[in-house]
Amino acid sequence: LIMDLKTKWSSRKLLATLLVILVIAGSDLAGLGLDENTVDAILKAVLGFVGAQGLVDAAGAFAAARKVADAVEGVKEEIDADES
């Protein structure tokens, strides 16, 4: 459980999102007041990063699933060969 929490908190997507929240909220609290264009640019950059990381994660999961499917197919072929 602790390792799982450590993995979740080390997610680049989560860290980038938290950083943006802190930057925007911190600038408001400090009275810096980022203009709307700057906030939009920051949000678009982070959303692009998070989306790209999501695609990388999905590709990795797909590759892992393909390996499992290939292994299952290999086992099925061995069982069929043994039964013949």
Side-chain angles (χ1 to χ4, degrees), residues 1 10 28:
L1 178 66
S10 65
D28 285 346

Side-chain angles (χ1 to χ4, degrees), residues 11-59:
S11 161
R12 288 179 276 177
K13 296 182 293 274
L14 176 65
L15 294 176
T17 302
L18 291 175
L19 179 63
V20 167
I21 290 169
L22 288 174
V23 166
I24 292 173
S27 71
D28 285 346
L29 290 174
L32 299 176
L34 296 175
D35 64 61
E36 189 174 332
N37 290 333
T38 303
V39 172
D40 283 347
I42 292 170
L43 289 176
K44 286 177 183 176
V46 170
L47 287 174
F49 172 75
V50 169
Q53 285 297 310
L55 290 173
V56 169
D57 293 347

